[in-house]
Amino acid sequence: KDIGRLTIQCADQPGIVAAVAGFLAEHGANIVELGQFSTDSENGEFFQRTVFHREGLAEALPGLTAAFADQVGERFGMTFALTDAATPKRVAIMVSKYDHCLLELLWRNRRNELDMNVTMVISNHPDLAADVASFGIDFVHIPISRATKVESEARALELLTGKVDLVVMARYMQILSADFLDNVGCPVINIHHSFLPAFAGAGPYLKAKERGVKLIGATAHYATATLDEGPIIEQDVVRVSHRDSVGELERRGAEVERSVLARAVQWHCEDRVMTYRNSTTIL
Amino acid sequence: KDIGRLTIQCADQPGIVAAVAGFLAEHGANIVELGQFSTDSENGEFFQRTVFHREGLAEALPGLTAAFADQVGERFGMTFALTDAATPKRVAIMVSKYDHCLLELLWRNRRNELDMNVTMVISNHPDLAADVASFGIDFVHIPISRATKVESEARALELLTGKVDLVVMARYMQILSADFLDNVGCPVINIHHSFLPAFAGAGPYLKAKERGVKLIGATAHYATATLDEGPIIEQDVVRVSHRDSVGELERRGAEVERSVLARAVQWHCEDRVMTYRNSTTIL
Amino acid sequence: KDIGRLTIQCADQPGIVAAVAGFLAEHGANIVELGQFSTDSENGEFFQRTVFHREGLAEALPGLTAAFADQVGERFGMTFALTDAATPKRVAIMVSKYDHCLLELLWRNRRNELDMNVTMVISNHPDLAADVASFGIDFVHIPISRATKVESEARALELLTGKVDLVVMARYMQILSADFLDNVGCPVINIHHSFLPAFAGAGPYLKAKERGVKLIGATAHYATATLDEGPIIEQDVVRVSHRDSVGELERRGAEVERSVLARAVQWHCEDRVMTYRNSTTIL
Amino acid sequence: KDIGRLTIQCADQPGIVAAVAGFLAEHGANIVELGQFSTDSENGEFFQRTVFHREGLAEALPGLTAAFADQVGERFGMTFALTDAATPKRVAIMVSKYDHCLLELLWRNRRNELDMNVTMVISNHPDLAADVASFGIDFVHIPISRATKVESEARALELLTGKVDLVVMARYMQILSADFLDNVGCPVINIHHSFLPAFAGAGPYLKAKERGVKLIGATAHYATATLDEGPIIEQDVVRVSHRDSVGELERRGAEVERSVLARAVQWHCEDRVMTYRNSTTIL
């Protein structure tokens, strides 16, 4: 319905807001929502997300993009993107056997709460095929073992590269190689459990139980070559007590994972998340 | 340190952001932070808060203000304010006998967490005089009774009107008259307990206990003639259980009151809160 | 697996805990978990929930129940229940058109997170039939109009009375008559939106938006003749802002409704919730 | 007012609750509140906290203690404590330069929200002497350097051992030696910042900022020889965003530290916290 989004990022410098606002005004776009942030008042990195209304946006988009690059983007050395809010992101979900994150995403999407179009679900196990089928979405089973990792990832890349705008690891229990991340051609969001403090290695819920932790959390972040250390998009916690068994801690953990991942995916699909170095700005 | 804030409000219309950003760029001001909001994409109310850096701000402020009114404000029918972040708001606190909200504000202010200068504390009881004195702040005792309400409020107005930028009712257990609110010449922030659902009338904590409520909350809002129904600035809750006595519910309520009020005052002092009809926009 | 639960309630008096613990020890039951609460140290109401292990519980249960009544229950004037944890509660869910609460319950139950056996879903609309069928659960469509209310309720009572242990109104948009509640023969849990303060009447989300509320909540409670004023089982809130439209407030509200209702149902099915007058004790 | 507390801990075995309840009933004590927990239904560790009313408790306490040891404690191999709720815990607070945790404790105590009697404040810096004096509490300045650590700790031990029931490290920026902890003769509670995930080493707030964390937390725990890895008593978090500078993260961290520490101290002073291996049970 003629609603566009412009996201920009560049070194902070005088006149950016004026130039962007001037450009939009000149091209018949009326600003509906504007978020802006600079990491520092000197030598900072500048971020802006602008939502605007423009008659006939769909047809005008290529021209607007070229004009913006020409008249504003190049001058300020910007990275920018102009998108049509009516075009949902194409998303692939990768999953193993746990269903809670996958179903939360599919279910919310069916209720039109997420701005995405799930084009396929890829799993290294066949277990969730029927669940996915009931949503009318393609389920692709790509088994993976140490021996087949290279070819399995290659097969996934074939399905993904250039065909999706986002990959979501909804408890996909495999580590994606740096090579995969380099070649998939779009961001990858991952979810994992989190504690204060962290409990490294295997059996984190047992370790948390043994320490008597009172909060169980989850973190959604962009996957990077060092898998669990990419920029954080969203986090949350739930309260637990000594009465909760290790199994119950895992159940509460699953609950917070699904809501945290859903929020992170939603923000990403609304073009709200911008990364800089290893952190995020959510506008 | 040459940091200014510009807050504006007007009917939404094309070109506002461009005009404001253009003005600031022309007058040597570099935007550091910008928050913007419109209540609707058609016929909405527009709000913007801009933080900027400008060499020699203190001296330039009167000239900038006049120029902005002339070149931008009038054109768009704006209500606006240009302030110097280095000038803390002058605040008067009104209190009765409960000390928790008062002490939280004074203590945080001593730790430089609130952007305010508390010029006086007015109370209808003498009880908290020593506490206030220990912070080096003037304590004014203005008793009030049904018979003396008019003159007591007149005396308070004499101390306040034109001399403070904000009045905070930190559990001031008197209802300020519509007349007082009309004449005090600055916003008044009030804090009161809140529940889901509300329990009207006397003894709300007892009523909450009798219903078995699981959350106790507080609401900070601007005082209006209908005292507890002004625009809401901030709210929060804490979890309680059947084990909590009515006295403990009140204590937990006091805890959430002090943090909610402190946040509301801080946001107000940072020029973040804008009101429209009976609601607030926090930028 | 031989795990039983004993819940008792009576006027507080010396010797209750000793008598109950003595009885269990004598009858070969080892206490695994014990929660106890008294509303007051004088003339209070006493509540206790004891989870115990007893070899051959299923066969022994009728005898244990009779013996407990005889040896302990009568002496202290107790209301009590002895249940086998291996026997899940039989639950009927009533729903209209909103699916979020229904699906949350069915989904969690499929993941074995709720101690219940959903025997049927009753709806006054046909919309959710397919969703319910996909879980292999009976869906009964009982239309209801002002004219047919009496017979519709009678038909529901026929299906429910004596056949279920709990009825859950998962956004069932009809008011159950006092007569229905009197005759259904088991507790009824209801969920509804909640705000600080409450906004009575139609369009509560719009009213909340107009007042600028910062928290949106939900309350799960037992239904009583005054529908929304029964004893509260659980409550929670989520944070919202001026950026959230009325539609988004409703979506956030739906999210908190489903988690609050799921917790309330879980606690009830684990025999944790005891009511006294208009409040609850959760052990 | 004749309210006593009995806390017990031992290997779980049949008949404990009956024996304890029987003992109290025989000795004229009426149970007011009872919390109980077992880590496992087989071979678990058992914990119980019983609050009871007994006429003439103060005089009877020594006799009751001896009788309980004789009649119940030895039989079950219990660790137990019988305390008079009217006798507040004697507490020493250790602090460096940060005042927020110290003032929160002193202030709440003045409002009678904590069941403790602060007998002294020990600091390695003189900065907070006046603040402490304003509460009428002894302030002891014991400087400490690498060279003087042994004698400084010895001097503190002289003031503490046998004279206090609890030591609270309210942001005491020194590591207490294993030797100190062995000889102080009472539990020591510590508070420190916490993140998901943890950021080890210096500058944790900067590291958290660089990773874009969305939650800032604090953990209160018992100090053990491995300082920050003792049993956790309480934890909490607050939400932060990319807009918060490192300084603001520290301020939000301080806020959560003071409320978490206050809750941990309160629970300890009410004899609610029991430790087993490296975890806690809060009854």
Side-chain angles (χ1 to χ4, degrees), chain D residues 14 38 43 82 85 96-97 124 126 153 164 198 204-205 215 228 239:
Chain D
S38 177
N43 300 318
L82 255 166
S96 292
K97 291 181 168 182
N124 56 330
E153 284 200 344
V164 298
Y205 284 97
L215 297 172
D228 287 346
R239 190 158 273 274

Side-chain angles (χ1 to χ4, degrees), chain A residues 33-34 99-100 103-104 107-108 110-113 131 243 251 254-255 258-259 263 266, chain C residues 33-34 99-100 103-104 107-108 110-113 131 243 251 254-255 258-259 263 266:
Chain A
E33 188 184 334
L34 187 158
D99 63 357
H100 58 281
L103 290 179
E104 182 77 18
W107 186 22
R108 288 204 194 212
R110 194 179 74 174
R111 289 168 56 77
N112 292 318
E113 295 183 11
D131 277 323
R243 297 196 182 275
R251 213 171 303 148
E255 218 174 301
R258 60 192 180 111
S259 61
R263 285 204 292 275
Q266 184 177 4
Chain C
E33 190 183 332
L34 188 159
D99 63 357
H100 57 282
L103 290 178
E104 183 76 17
W107 186 23
R108 285 202 196 215
R110 194 178 76 174
R111 289 167 55 78
N112 292 316
E113 295 183 9
D131 276 323
R243 296 197 182 275
R251 211 172 303 147
E255 219 175 300
R258 59 192 179 113
S259 61
R263 285 204 292 276
Q266 183 176 6

Side-chain angles (χ1 to χ4, degrees), chain B residues 99 103-104 107 111 258, chain D residues 99 103-104 107 111 258:
Chain B
D99 63 356
L103 290 178
E104 182 76 16
W107 185 22
R111 289 167 56 77
R258 59 190 180 114
Chain D
D99 63 355
L103 290 177
E104 181 77 17
W107 186 23
R111 290 168 54 80
R258 59 192 182 112

Side-chain angles (χ1 to χ4, degrees), chain D residues 111-189:
Chain D
R111 290 168 54 80
N112 293 316
E113 295 183 11
L114 297 175
D115 231 354
M116 70 177 181
N117 179 17
V118 179
T119 60
M120 82 191 83
V121 172
I122 295 176
S123 179
N124 56 330
H125 293 285
D127 308 49
L128 301 174
D131 276 325
V132 172
S134 79
F135 285 88
I137 293 171
D138 283 348
F139 179 88
V140 186
H141 178 209
I142 305 183
I144 192 163
S145 67
R146 198 170 299 182
T148 67
K149 177 150 185 170
V150 172
E151 52 194 299
S152 294
E153 284 200 344
R155 206 182 136 209
L157 282 177
E158 221 170 284
L159 294 167
L160 298 171
T161 312
K163 289 165 192 149
V164 298
D165 305 305
L166 176 69
V167 171
V168 179
M169 300 172 71
R171 300 293 281 150
Y172 181 68
M173 310 302 278
Q174 296 288 324
I175 294 174
L176 297 176
S177 69
D179 202 55
F180 180 95
L181 292 170
D182 282 349
N183 288 295
V184 71
C186 71
V188 175
I189 292 178

Side-chain angles (χ1 to χ4, degrees), chain A residues 132-196:
Chain A
V132 172
S134 78
F135 285 88
I137 293 170
D138 283 347
F139 178 88
V140 186
H141 178 209
I142 306 183
I144 191 163
S145 66
R146 198 171 300 181
T148 66
K149 178 151 183 168
V150 172
E151 52 194 298
S152 294
E153 286 199 343
R155 206 183 137 209
L157 283 177
E158 220 168 287
L159 295 168
L160 299 169
T161 310
K163 291 164 193 151
V164 297
D165 305 304
L166 175 70
V167 171
V168 179
M169 299 170 74
R171 301 291 280 150
Y172 181 66
M173 310 302 277
Q174 296 288 323
I175 295 175
L176 298 175
S177 69
D179 202 56
F180 180 95
L181 293 169
D182 282 349
N183 288 297
V184 70
C186 70
V188 175
I189 292 179
N190 188 29
I191 180 79
H192 69 91
H193 50 68
S194 309
F195 306 90
L196 321 84

